[in-house]
Amino acid sequence: MSYRWPLKDPDETLDYSVDWSRFLGTATISSAVWYVQTSEIGKTALASGEDLTTASSSEVTDSIQNVSQSNTDTVATINVGSGVNNREYIFTCRMTDSTGSTAERTIKLTIREK
C-alpha cells in the first residue's frame, strides 16, 4: 500500500515525514534511508544533498533534490526541493530500528505548479 503526501510546487522546498511510532513500540529508529523512483527511473538511493537526474534526448534534465534528511527516535523526515511539473515521484523510507528490524513505507509525491 502506498501513502500520498500533499502536492508540491516545483519551486518549493518542503519537509515530508514518516511517523514510525505505531510500528516501533518501545524500539527507536537507528537509521533511515530514502529512495526515490519515477516511471522513467528505477529505484535509486537519494543521499542527502543529492539530485535525482535523468536526461531525455540529451536536452532536458529532470531532477528532484534531497536537500537534507533527519530523524528523531520515531519520525524520519526528508526535505525535498525541485521536481518536474506533473510528474509523480515514489519515495520509499527504509527504516532500521534499535532491535535490528527493518521496514519500508512507500509514499507518492506529485509535483504540480500552484
Side-chain angles (χ1 to χ4, degrees):
M1 176 172 131
S2 288
Y3 299 97
R4 184 171 294 279
W5 283 323
L7 298 176
K8 179 190 159 322
D9 185 280
D11 297 324
E12 295 175 325
T13 301
L14 299 171
D15 284 338
Y16 294 96
S17 298
V18 175
D19 183 345
W20 292 95
S21 58
R22 289 176 46 183
F23 175 84
L24 290 166
T26 59
T28 58
I29 295 174
S30 293
S31 67
V33 178
W34 291 91
Y35 298 86
V36 65
Q37 65 184 20
T38 69
S39 56
E40 294 82 17
I41 304 166
K43 191 173 184 180
T44 304
L46 191 59
S48 181
E50 181 180 15
D51 288 342
L52 171 70
T53 306
T54 59
S56 308
S57 26
S58 66
E59 295 176 3
V60 179
T61 300
D62 304 336
S63 70
I64 193 158
Q65 184 179 30
N66 174 353
V67 176
S68 64
Q69 60 190 49
S70 62
N71 60 270
T72 65
D73 286 346
T74 58
V75 177
T77 302
I78 186 169
N79 184 263
V80 178
S82 301
V84 176
N85 193 37
N86 296 318
R87 174 156 296 162
E88 182 175 80
Y89 295 88
I90 302 167
F91 284 80
T92 300
C93 179
R94 180 179 296 153
M95 181 276 308
T96 302
D97 70 20
S98 56
T99 68
S101 295
T102 302
E104 290 185 350
R105 294 291 180 268
T106 301
I107 310 97
K108 294 179 180 179
L109 175 63
T110 303
I111 308 298
R112 187 90 20 90
E113 198 71 46
K114 294 181 184 176

